[in-house]
Amino acid sequence: MQISFRNCIAFHLLLLSCRLLYCVETQDNPTIPAITKYFNTKGSYEELNPHLKEDILAVNRSILQPPSAQCREIHLTAIVRHGTRYPTSKNIKKMQQLYNIILHNASSEHSWLREIQSRWTMWYSEDMDGRLVQKGVQDLKHLAVRLSKMFPSLISEEKLRGGFMRFVSSSKHRCVNSTLAFIAGLTELWDVTDKEFDHAVNDALMRFFDRCTRFVEEVDNNPSALLEMDRFKQGPEMRRVQEKIADRLGVPLSLITHDMAEAGFYLCAYEFAIKAVNSPWCQLFDHNDAKIMEYSSDLREFWKRGYGYDINSKSSCILFHDAFSRINRAAIENKSGQQVTEAVVVQVGHADTLLPLLTLLGLFKDREVLKSTNYAAQSRRSFRTSNMLPYAANLVFVLYDCGGGDLRLQLLLNEKPVTFPGLTGRGAAMPLYEDIREHYRDLLDGCDFETECQLLKVPAEA
Ligand SMILES: *[C@@H]1O[C@H](CO)[C@@H](O)[C@H](O)[C@H]1NC(C)=O
Ligand SMILES: *[C@@H]1O[C@H](CO)[C@@H](O)[C@H](O)[C@H]1NC(C)=O
Ligand SMILES: *[C@@H]1O[C@H](CO)[C@@H](O)[C@H](O)[C@H]1NC(C)=O
Ligand SMILES: *[C@@H]1O[C@H](CO)[C@@H](O)[C@H](O)[C@H]1NC(C)=O
């Protein structure tokens, strides 16, 4: 309370218009934009795990809740998204365009607008194109250290030196650098300087979506696949956001296209993710506007990577089988008295890698699909990428031996246990491995990447 009160006073002095009641109610922290929880896949990991803001290396093993004290972890597979990155060149172009509008056309008297015009400079350049930033390096180093504290018997110096840990990356620069950062997090922690550790690049696994022909043809390259998002962009909610932005800037509505609204939203998000500042760009949006922007992005993710089309999740069959066959090998090795050869596998990819897999596992599924017309009805949806996929998002499978052949599998998303859908009740945080195999029986027996990703042959006309 002390801190929040001091912030409040500072804020009060800074902005005379700030009402005390408002400060106390929302615990306003002027260095944090009010809309950070709506940033979709551009959100920062610490905003989702706020305890890390006090101690970036904090872990709490008691959240694992093993059903008995005998449980020992014997295998871990982590599928990790790269850390904080620059915008892509496509988005940097749009940001530049909006910045030009602000410089040449905007005319309102808001102090934040004058701040953009006179003090803010366009420091993003197209060559930054999606590269990992320094904060992104830290994201992965810190994650590595926390996971080693959470699972000290698996993510250990001994296992690393002994060759029982393996690293796999997508070929994209930001992923390779994230993988190197994860490894560096461990070697720096244990002060390992006499040895280097390799990683493999594997796009068939980490960028399966590019190689799944049916997905590419029917969804990725099919403009009508995103019909619901396009309709929402043309709809009344989005139009209102654009009108409000145009109004705040004092420019004709015709200048504020959906792309320009999105560019402003990205500018606020990136300035916060990369530089940890509450930039004047954030003043373009209030809570309601931000929620609408968030929904628009969620519609894209839902129809392009999530439940919108079956092939979206099926394209990840290859990654699903990769994880489950390794977990199974570990189970068999341990049961037959051998040492588990692949104790830890860390695989670094993209939000586009994780979302289809989360969907295949049945997580964050709502009863109703996301549509252009049900924005209000979906306000409590669980499919909310802001809560699922910040930078450095991670899905971790941990296999435990709880004695007497009692094997259990735990799933953690962003270091928090998630229950497997359909497996609720006592011990749901760490169900029996056999129950999970039973639950996913159809996927384990089927879900063949080659078969699912084939284009359906249209029967020849007679
Ligand atoms: C750790 O997690 C447990 C269970 O969720 C909770 O009761 C406890 O307060 C947490 N401890 C700390 C230090 O955060
Ligand atoms: C915006 O500013 C540019 C550059 O000054 C000018 O050419 C253009 O006509 C303006 N557009 C509008 C709609 O005012
Ligand atoms: C990423 O890796 C490349 C090549 O190793 C290096 O030149 C670059 O500086 C790295 N970027 C970051 C942000 O670490
Ligand atoms: C199997 O796992 C248990 C729990 O960690 C361990 O005590 C046992 O030694 C393992 N067996 C082998 C052969 O590694």
Side-chain angles (χ1 to χ4, degrees):
M1 280 332 276
Q2 278 278 315
I3 293 179
S4 115
F5 185 69
R6 246 188 289 140
N7 281 343
C8 190
I9 299 287
F11 195 43
H12 197 81
L13 294 173
L14 201 67
L15 300 172
L16 290 168
S17 64
C18 174
R19 280 163 297 134
L20 191 63
L21 184 65
Y22 176 75
C23 290
V24 170
E25 254 173 23
T26 61
Q27 300 213 342
D28 257 11
N29 182 341
T31 65
I32 297 179
I35 58 175
T36 48
K37 59 174 185 280
Y38 308 116
F39 285 160
N40 303 99
T41 58
K42 315 271 179 281
S44 88
Y45 196 81
E46 296 85 62
E47 288 302 307
L48 207 57
N49 287 293
H51 65 281
L52 297 178
K53 290 195 225 176
E54 278 162 45
D55 176 4
I56 192 69
L57 300 178
V59 300
N60 182 354
R61 269 185 63 88
S62 63
I63 60 159
L64 300 176
Q65 297 190 310
S68 90
Q70 285 179 54
C71 299
R72 298 279 175 274
E73 53 264 28
I74 58 177
H75 169 82
L76 181 149
T77 283
I79 303 169
V80 185
R81 184 189 181 201
H82 58 75
T84 308
R85 62 163 171 84
Y86 288 115
T88 56
S89 50
K90 192 178 100 204
N91 284 330
I92 292 173
K93 272 202 194 98
K94 292 178 189 169
M95 292 168 168
Q96 178 69 55
Q97 235 177 306
L98 178 65
Y99 182 54
N100 289 342
I101 291 174
I102 295 234
L103 287 185
H104 303 301
N105 306 81
S107 61
S108 78
E109 289 300 310
H110 294 297
S111 58
W112 54 264
L113 178 61
R114 267 177 281 133
E115 196 184 328
I116 299 177
Q117 289 171 328
S118 59
R119 305 230 330 259
W120 194 85
T121 51
M122 180 66 192
W123 64 278
Y124 299 94
S125 57
E126 284 179 39
D127 61 308
M128 290 174 174
D129 194 20
R131 278 172 28 217
L132 197 68
V133 298
Q134 210 45 49
K135 167 70 166 64
V137 173
Q138 297 305 318
D139 289 340
L140 272 289
K141 282 189 176 180
H142 291 147
L143 176 66
V145 173
R146 287 195 306 271
L147 287 179
S148 79
K149 285 168 76 181
M150 189 93 103
F151 302 105
S153 67
L154 284 180
I155 304 187
S156 67
E157 181 178 352
E158 190 196 343
K159 289 269 194 285
L160 180 67
R161 284 186 179 276
F164 298 105
M165 290 183 69
R166 214 155 53 75
F167 303 93
V168 181
S169 176
S170 133
S171 65
K172 289 279 170 175
H173 206 274
R174 55 184 173 274
C175 296
V176 172
N177 277 23
S178 293
T179 308
L180 298 175
F182 190 100
I183 297 172
L186 298 180
T187 54
E188 286 166 20
L189 175 66
W190 300 319
D191 204 16
V192 175
T193 52
D194 58 331
K195 212 170 168 196
E196 306 238 311
F197 301 94
D198 283 344
H199 66 271
V201 168
N202 188 340
D203 279 349
L205 269 186
M206 305 318 295
R207 296 182 58 80
F208 50 76
F209 41 87
D210 283 343
R211 302 190 178 198
C212 180
T213 313
R214 184 162 174 208
F215 167 75
V216 171
E217 299 266 318
E218 292 183 2
V219 181
D220 211 18
N221 290 343
N222 176 3
S224 68
L226 289 183
L227 190 66
E228 289 299 328
M229 183 191 72
D230 293 335
R231 283 185 176 150
F232 189 72
K233 283 183 180 177
Q234 312 290 323
E237 290 93 355
M238 191 54 78
R239 187 182 169 84
R240 185 78 192 106
V241 172
Q242 289 164 233
E243 282 168 0
K244 281 159 81 180
I245 293 175
D247 207 48
R248 287 177 185 127
L249 293 176
V251 302
L253 178 59
S254 63
L255 283 180
I256 306 302
T257 60
H258 177 270
D259 273 2
M260 289 303 98
E262 198 172 58
F265 200 57
Y266 285 158
L267 274 158
C268 169
Y270 278 112
E271 291 286 284
F272 182 64
I274 298 175
K275 297 181 145 187
V277 298
N278 182 358
S279 84
W281 292 101
C282 301
Q283 303 302 314
L284 285 172
F285 305 89
D286 63 28
H287 271 276
N288 285 333
D289 306 331
K291 278 189 210 166
I292 291 165
M293 298 304 295
E294 182 197 33
Y295 191 66
S296 168
S297 259
D298 277 349
L299 277 170
R300 181 176 52 230
E301 300 299 330
F302 182 88
W303 292 96
K304 208 157 192 167
R305 309 285 172 187
Y307 291 100
Y309 302 100
D310 194 46
I311 190 60
N312 297 352
S313 60
K314 290 289 170 59
S315 65
S316 73
C317 284
I318 188 166
L319 188 58
F320 173 88
H321 279 294
D322 174 72
F324 272 90
S325 56
R326 185 164 51 247
I327 291 165
N328 212 41
R329 276 197 303 278
I332 290 169
E333 283 174 340
N334 183 268
K335 274 192 170 169
S336 63
Q338 293 165 265
Q339 186 167 24
V340 173
T341 45
E342 289 183 301
V344 176
V345 174
V346 177
Q347 303 178 309
V348 181
H350 307 262
D352 294 349
T353 311
L354 275 166
L355 191 48
L357 184 62
L358 294 174
T359 304
L360 192 68
L361 293 171
L363 298 165
F364 305 106
K365 186 169 191 175
D366 298 292
R367 221 171 310 136
E368 298 280 324
V369 303
L370 275 66
K371 291 201 284 205
S372 56
T373 48
N374 62 2
Y375 167 70
Q378 286 288 11
S379 65
R380 291 160 172 273
R381 69 190 180 279
S382 66
F383 190 92
R384 185 164 245 134
T385 54
S386 303
N387 293 345
M388 301 149 68
L389 293 165
Y391 294 115
N394 52 89
L395 181 68
V396 175
F397 296 86
V398 190
L399 184 66
Y400 294 84
D401 179 84
C402 294
D406 182 358
L407 290 176
R408 289 175 180 265
L409 188 65
Q410 184 167 55
L411 193 58
L412 303 163
L413 180 65
N414 302 325
E415 299 168 71
K416 283 168 288 204
V418 284
T419 50
F420 288 91
L423 288 168
T424 49
R426 245 175 73 81
M430 208 181 275
L432 287 170
Y433 176 55
E434 270 317 308
D435 289 350
I436 289 171
R437 288 194 68 86
E438 210 37 54
H439 184 69
Y440 292 118
R441 179 56 54 202
D442 288 350
L443 293 175
L444 287 167
D445 291 345
C447 196
D448 175 58
F449 179 82
E450 300 297 333
T451 313
E452 301 290 344
C453 292
Q454 258 171 23
L455 275 178
L456 296 186
K457 293 211 177 61
V458 183
E461 279 183 52

